[in-house]
């Protein structure tokens, strides 16, 4: 890989500050660019706080902390990126902002500089097309919090040069991340799997099939996930979930990607999760008692296992089915999917591993049951049919 050490990070908010920190920790010289003095101080504050926490926890020495801070130059002058070798953009998720930033970076940076975007849901191809160097533009999708989460999705477009993707993956490794190379498709791997799963949980909750606690507990208990889907929606941001669902819907137009009506209403009502103090749960510190259990016939039948499967399977099987569909589509390998969900979402086991462990009967119970098939929006991934007709038991 070509040697370089000067990295630019544009936007030092939630993600950019963490990304700047990660590069500086790995020894790169970082130029962190913000839009004005106030935002710059906020960005500097994010980095300082994150490093101080690491020192308090004994994960970093005071010397290392000052070394890392010394490697980050904070500036509001984008022109300082004129000799950057690699730039990561992390400004808010709006195409008008990305357009302005990329046009400017394209003008400022030398022709060989790789420009990466941390976008979660916009088209990397479209962003690349805003520049005169689409072959040198790539997605580098970090996970929140960037200093902690190990996954980085490296998104190549039909315009990116293979060398650009290879360098970006190498850079990800150098900063201690586990890269998963994907192509430009809505939601990439992790969000395209995680958010419809959250949406399904919201739909089950909305139809009073189970209470929010039943939903969250069922999944965490059954698959040992770090948190339940409704808790996660509050953490990620209910509005962010809706934005991802809408992008998936826009691209694929299948019922599986239609946002649950309640998800949209929550956003309209400003119940965005932790950041607004209220989402599916209360985060204001006020008493938030467990909800009463729904008692309708569907709720009772699911609770009693009368359909031949439990609530956890009802939510997890469609989720795992989406992962199988991704493998069947040739979008990502079983290995990459499992890596993405383990390192990006903290799953103890990837969805394909879960499938291989539990087998087709677990699946069939949910996907082939006539009534529950109408409860979830999942229809069996074609790869399952292929496995069935060929008698193949495993995906790898
Ligand atoms: N928050 C997440 O969990 C998460 C995870 C992965 C990817 N992303 C993506 O990362 C990007 C940034 O998201 P975020 O959550 O960090 O947003 P944020 O709002 O926390 O931070 C964005 C920062 O960019 C700055 N900014 C705005 N315009 C600018 C400009 N023209 N030049 C320089 N700085 C500018 C803002 O002042 C702000 O500090 C988005 O594309 C988002 O989709 C977010």
């Amino acid at each position: 890989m070509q040697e370089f050490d000067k990295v630019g990070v544009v936007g030092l908010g939630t993600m950019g500050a963490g990304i700047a920190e990660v590069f500086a920790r790995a020894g790169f010289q970082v130029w962190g660019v913000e839009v004005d003095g106030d935002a710059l101080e906020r960005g500097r504050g994010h980095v300082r706080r994150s490093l101080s926490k690491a020192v308090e926890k004994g994960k970093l020495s005071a010397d290392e902390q000052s070394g890392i801070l010394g490697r980050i130059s904070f500036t509001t002058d984008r022109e300082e990126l004129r000799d950057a070798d690699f730039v990561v953009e992390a400004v808010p998720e709006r195409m008008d902002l990305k357009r302005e930033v990329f046009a400017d970076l394209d003008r400022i940076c030398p022709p060989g500089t790789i420009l990466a975007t941390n976008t979660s849901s916009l088209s990397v191809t479209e962003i690349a097309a805003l520049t005169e160097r689409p072959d040198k533009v790539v997605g580098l999708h970090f996970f929140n919090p960037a200093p902690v989460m190990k996954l980085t999705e490296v998104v190549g477009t039909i315009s990116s040069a293979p060398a650009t993707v290879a360098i970006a993956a190498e850079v990800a490794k150098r900063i201690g991340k586990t890269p998963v190379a994907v192509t430009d498709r809505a939601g990439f791997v992790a969000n395209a799997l995680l958010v419809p799963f959250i949406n399904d949980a919201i739909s089950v909750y909305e139809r009073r099939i189970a209470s929010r606690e039943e939903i969250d507990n069922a999944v965490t208990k059954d698959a040992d996930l770090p948190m339940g889907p409704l808790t996660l929606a509050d953490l990620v941001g209910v509005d962010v979930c809706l934005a991802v669902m809408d992008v998936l819907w826009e691209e694929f137009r299948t019922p599986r990607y239609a946002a649950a009506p309640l998800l949209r209403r929550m956003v309209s009502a400003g119940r965005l999760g932790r950041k607004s103090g209220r989402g599916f749960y209360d985060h204001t510190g006020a008493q938030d008692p467990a909800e009463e259990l729904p008692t309708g016939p569907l709720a009772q039948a699911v609770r009693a296992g009368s359909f031949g499967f439990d609530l956890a399977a009802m939510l997890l099987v469609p989720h795992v089915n989406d992962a199988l569909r991704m493998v069947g589509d040739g979008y990502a390998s079983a290995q990459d999917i499992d890596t993405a969900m383990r390192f990006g979402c903290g799953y103890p086991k990837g969805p394909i591993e879960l499938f291989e462990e539990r087998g087709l009967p677990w699946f069939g119970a949910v996907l082939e049951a006539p009534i529950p098939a109408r409860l979830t929006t999942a229809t069996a991934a074609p790869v399952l049919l292929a496995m069935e007709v060929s008698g193949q038991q495993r995906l790898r």
Side-chain angles (χ1 to χ4, degrees), residues 153-193:
E153 289 171 321
V154 179
V155 187
T157 74
I158 48 174
S159 315
S160 2
T164 304
V165 178
I167 291 170
E170 188 57 37
V171 165
K173 280 190 202 152
R174 283 216 194 161
I175 57 175
K177 300 299 176 193
T178 304
V180 164
V182 293
T183 53
D184 191 18
R185 189 167 121 160
F188 312 133
V189 173
N191 282 340
L193 294 181

Side-chain angles (χ1 to χ4, degrees), residues 26 33-34 62 91 123 179 183 187 199 221 232 271 336 345 374:
V33 186
E34 257 297 347
V91 304
S123 159
T183 53
N199 186 58
K221 215 168 114 201
L232 188 58
R271 286 176 58 165
D336 279 352
C345 307
R374 275 183 261 130

Side-chain angles (χ1 to χ4, degrees), residues 10-16 33-35 39 42 78 89-93 97-98 100-101 117-121 141-144:
V10 182
L12 299 173
T14 309
M15 294 307 292
V33 186
E34 257 297 347
V35 73
R42 272 198 305 278
R78 231 183 262 159
E89 165 278 315
V91 304
E93 191 75 330
L97 290 177
K98 309 277 187 198
E100 188 266 322
V101 168
T117 172
N118 186 44
T119 184
S120 300
S121 58
H141 187 227
F142 290 85
F143 287 74
N144 189 10

Side-chain angles (χ1 to χ4, degrees), residues 191-204 207 244-246 248-250 252-260 263 313-325 363 366-367 372-373 375-381:
N191 282 340
L193 294 181
L194 186 69
V195 180
F197 168 57
I198 291 174
N199 186 58
D200 237 14
I202 295 171
S203 187
V204 165
R207 285 178 290 168
V244 173
M245 286 311 295
D246 282 347
L248 287 166
W249 168 260
E250 210 40 56
F252 299 105
R253 305 250 169 189
T254 81
R256 176 79 183 139
Y257 298 132
L263 173 58
M314 188 175 154
L315 292 164
L316 286 168
V317 165
H319 180 37
V320 171
N321 187 56
D322 285 345
L324 294 178
R325 193 180 290 280
F363 244 68
V366 178
L367 292 184
L375 289 184
T376 73
T377 49
T379 49

